[in-house]
Amino acid sequence: MTFRVWWKREGWGWYAAAVAAVLLSLVNVYSRNVQIFQPAQRMVSGLVLWAAVSVAVVASAFLLHAMVSRLARRMRWPEAAQASWMAWGMAAVTAAVYVRMSFYALYVFSVRQLAPRLVVAAAFIFCIWAALTLLLRRLQWKGSLLLLLVLAGLQGAQGWWSARALGRSLRAVEAPEELRRRYGTLRPCNIHVLLLESYQSTAWMQDFLNIDNSPLEAELEGLGFRIYPSTFANYISTLPSLQALFLMQHHYNRSATGEEDSHHVRQMLSGRLYNPVLSILKQNGYRIRYRLQTDQLYFPEAAGEVVDESWISGRGLLVPLNTFLYPHVFHERRIPDYRARLVEAARREGAQETSAPSFTLMKAGLFHLYSFQNSVDPRVWRREVAATLEVENRFLTDYCRTVVEADPDAVIILMGDHGAYAYGGRWWRGAENRPPADVLAAQGLPPDRVARDMAEIFLAIRWGTRDAPPRRILSPVNLFRDLFEHLGTGAVLDGGRAEDATYSGTPPHLYRVAKDGQPLAEWEHWVVSD
């Protein structure tokens, strides 16, 4: 049986099934992350994937046919046996296409739910591929094609329904318009916000890692900073923490969906969705500058018109492929020598006259500590954290000193985004389907200590030449309210402040784990009303 004959009989059907596997993955990712991918990105990435899969499947079919034909001649197989082996081979190819497209999700599931070992992940993914091969072979190309198309349709319908629900959730967390009117006139001064990844409080570093970070506090206090102890992030990961910071109110993780932009934060940061902080700043003549090292927080292609300067640029038509083809990166947007560039930019601008005040958002910091092993020994983390902390603290003091010397009236905010999750691997997996209290008790973990691990953050603010506001800042959700009051009339306004609390999970499995600057010994199940 020649390749042309086989292709006309069954080959094109298996090719269509492989394309359907690509379609299923496309619908799966796009339906949950459509908000950050532009039409051109979706179209170009889809065409590139289709072309790549077409070449791979046709080439695999050709090589497979050559091998089977040689074996058939040597073993004197009948045509039916040859066709059967070709069906097995193409089922394996189709399964491989789907597994490759879903590699990231399968890998993360294996690491989080099974064991954090490469050999375990490899074995798990191989088993998935083998089982899918058996299923597709049994269904033949017609059944396989039908199954994959039905699954793609169901995934698309689910995505459409989730998008409707997400739209309602986003409207539920929109900040009221009166906030913009409330802070209508601000005193102009430059504002620098350095978001610090996984940078925890000095007290927690001392308690858990036996690292003394008080020298940094002393240096910052010498530069005019006020240190805020007992400050807790409102949410336990970067994107929802930023959403609460810029909304100036709680969202209770109601808009959590997808993996690329689970809270639509990139659209909000860009100004495409209503952002009360940026709106207030823009109406007061501020230039918005995003000096970020990567596109983790901001996609320029999702931007509105409020961002005046961005170090991350380029439309990146192949950016969506990073999600499908992990760990290969098709289009990486990363600023080299990032910290040195920040200090140099601050030094250069210090000698320049500017007509408009600026708001500059940056991100530096440390790293996550979580391990999915059953035990956590602080000594394992201490050496690496201490080495990184020394370098990072040197950068922070260099940057702050440069800004203060050139612009004494500038406001500088150094804020951790969440904790380092040292205990995360010991209880996250079990807590997905059980109350966290039960899981923590089984692991012998005090809830208040875990709450500190997840959310007790470093916060230091230099309020310019004015005295610091008298109020303690217990969580970031009210930080910009305090800043705008400081830059406005200076009056302390009590009405409309958000609750200083930390939340973990998503509705209906949402828990309050800290309140008013204190971790809770018993986490409170929190019911969110629509």
Side-chain angles (χ1 to χ4, degrees):
M1 179 173 56
T2 66
F3 180 80
R4 178 174 296 181
V5 171
W6 171 80
W7 185 265
K8 288 183 177 180
R9 290 180 182 176
E10 296 187 354
W12 70 270
W14 283 112
Y15 165 75
V19 172
V22 175
L23 177 64
L24 174 58
S25 297
L26 284 171
V27 173
N28 183 26
V29 172
Y30 284 163
S31 64
R32 289 181 291 171
N33 300 288
V34 66
Q35 68 273 14
I36 60 170
F37 297 140
Q38 300 304 295
Q41 288 178 306
R42 294 194 291 270
M43 181 180 67
V44 171
S45 295
L47 289 174
V48 168
L49 278 177
W50 169 75
V53 168
S54 296
V55 171
V57 170
V58 172
S60 298
F62 188 82
L63 293 175
L64 181 65
H65 182 270
M67 293 172 56
V68 170
S69 296
R70 178 171 294 185
L71 284 173
R73 289 193 297 270
R74 181 174 298 179
M75 305 295 294
R76 299 175 183 267
W77 286 343
E79 188 173 292
Q82 186 177 354
S84 177
W85 279 105
M86 287 296 297
W88 273 109
M90 293 308 296
V93 169
T94 304
V97 168
Y98 180 76
V99 168
R100 180 64 187 93
M101 294 283 290
S102 307
F103 176 81
Y104 179 74
L106 294 173
Y107 175 77
V108 170
F109 177 87
S110 173
V111 168
R112 291 184 176 177
Q113 303 297 329
L114 302 178
R117 304 183 188 281
L118 184 60
V119 64
V120 173
F124 171 73
I125 293 173
F126 175 81
C127 290
I128 293 294
W129 168 79
L132 187 56
T133 297
L134 290 173
L135 175 63
L136 298 182
R137 173 64 181 88
R138 183 174 182 83
L139 294 175
Q140 296 291 343
W141 71 264
K142 292 182 180 178
S144 300
L145 177 60
L146 179 61
L147 173 65
L148 293 167
L149 289 176
V150 169
L151 290 176
L154 291 175
Q155 183 66 60
Q158 181 183 4
W160 173 79
W161 183 259
S162 297
R164 290 189 60 195
L166 181 59
R168 293 195 296 270
S169 297
L170 287 173
R171 288 190 293 273
V173 300
E174 284 182 351
E177 186 69 17
E178 58 262 23
L179 282 175
R180 189 160 63 90
R181 296 190 294 269
R182 182 178 186 179
Y183 306 113
T185 302
L186 303 181
R187 176 174 59 87
C189 72
N190 295 321
I191 303 170
H192 303 254
V193 178
L194 253 169
L195 191 69
L196 303 178
E197 175 66 42
S198 303
Y199 202 114
Q200 299 201 259
S201 70
T202 299
W204 178 250
M205 287 190 185
Q206 182 69 62
D207 292 349
F208 181 70
L209 295 171
N210 195 27
I211 291 177
D212 181 12
N213 203 33
S214 60
L216 173 68
E217 292 190 350
E219 286 200 60
L220 292 176
E221 288 174 336
L223 292 173
F225 279 80
R226 179 176 176 181
I227 310 299
Y228 292 87
S230 301
T231 300
F232 281 74
N234 299 108
Y235 298 88
I236 66 169
S237 56
T238 302
L239 292 180
S241 290
L242 274 178
Q243 188 180 27
L245 175 69
F246 280 89
L247 284 176
M248 298 188 286
Q249 68 175 14
H250 283 284
H251 52 78
Y252 304 108
N253 281 332
R254 282 182 291 195
S255 55
T257 181
E259 41 302 293
E260 286 299 315
D261 190 8
S262 60
H263 291 73
H264 285 240
V265 174
R266 291 194 184 98
Q267 283 198 332
M268 189 187 71
L269 283 178
S270 68
R272 178 169 292 185
L273 294 178
Y274 176 60
N275 185 320
V277 169
L278 296 188
S279 178
I280 290 167
L281 292 170
K282 292 298 286 187
Q283 78 174 9
N284 281 275
Y286 276 75
R287 297 184 70 252
I288 307 300
R289 309 189 304 188
Y290 285 169
R291 293 180 174 176
L292 300 165
Q293 184 178 20
T294 70
D295 58 5
Q296 178 200 10
L297 304 181
Y298 169 73
F299 272 13
E301 53 267 45
E305 298 179 353
V306 301
V307 179
D308 300 292
E309 176 191 320
S310 171
W311 281 8
I312 299 295
S313 60
R315 292 207 162 268
L317 292 175
L318 299 182
V319 166
L321 295 183
N322 296 341
T323 302
F324 297 112
L325 301 179
Y326 174 87
H328 182 79
V329 177
F330 271 80
H331 187 95
E332 183 176 31
R333 293 181 285 199
R334 188 177 186 87
I335 303 299
D337 302 319
Y338 176 63
R339 287 160 177 77
R341 284 192 60 180
L342 286 177
V343 175
E344 178 58 30
R347 182 177 294 112
R348 184 176 62 252
E349 291 163 357
Q352 298 175 352
E353 291 290 337
T354 57
S355 58
S358 62
F359 171 86
T360 305
L361 178 66
M362 301 154 284
K363 188 168 190 285
L366 301 175
F367 46 83
H368 299 175
L369 291 181
Y370 66 79
S371 166
F372 291 98
Q373 305 291 348
N374 289 326
S375 63
V376 175
D377 185 348
R379 293 172 297 180
V380 175
W381 311 117
R382 188 182 187 283
R383 181 178 302 175
E384 188 173 358
V385 172
T388 305
L389 190 67
E390 181 181 359
V391 175
E392 195 66 9
N393 286 355
R394 191 180 308 121
F395 154 70
L396 293 177
T397 53
D398 286 349
Y399 183 85
C400 293
R401 185 176 294 107
T402 301
V403 173
V404 170
E405 290 175 353
D407 185 7
D409 198 37
V411 171
I412 309 174
I413 300 170
L414 308 180
M415 186 188 79
D417 58 351
H418 53 72
Y421 314 139
Y423 294 121
R426 292 180 59 182
W427 68 275
W428 278 347
R429 284 179 287 177
E432 290 180 352
N433 300 309
R434 296 167 57 193
D438 296 346
V439 181
L440 294 175
Q443 291 286 339
L445 294 174
D448 54 348
R449 188 167 178 82
V450 174
R452 292 185 66 196
D453 170 51
M454 292 192 300
E456 188 172 319
I457 59 174
F458 181 83
L459 178 63
I461 303 178
R462 188 181 190 279
W463 295 94
T465 53
R466 283 190 178 185
D467 292 335
R471 195 197 312 267
R472 290 174 58 200
I473 298 179
L474 301 176
S475 72
V477 71
N478 288 308
L479 192 154
F480 277 118
R481 293 176 186 266
D482 292 322
L483 175 60
F484 293 151
E485 290 165 9
H486 175 72
L487 297 179
T489 62
V492 177
L493 305 178
D494 291 318
R497 292 180 66 84
E499 178 191 35
D500 289 306
T502 303
Y503 294 93
S504 173
T506 58
H509 307 293
L510 183 71
Y511 292 86
R512 184 164 63 180
V513 304
K515 182 182 179 182
D516 296 332
Q518 295 296 325
L520 297 181
E522 294 183 6
W523 293 1
E524 302 168 356
H525 182 238
W526 198 257
V527 178
V528 180
S529 59
D530 293 332

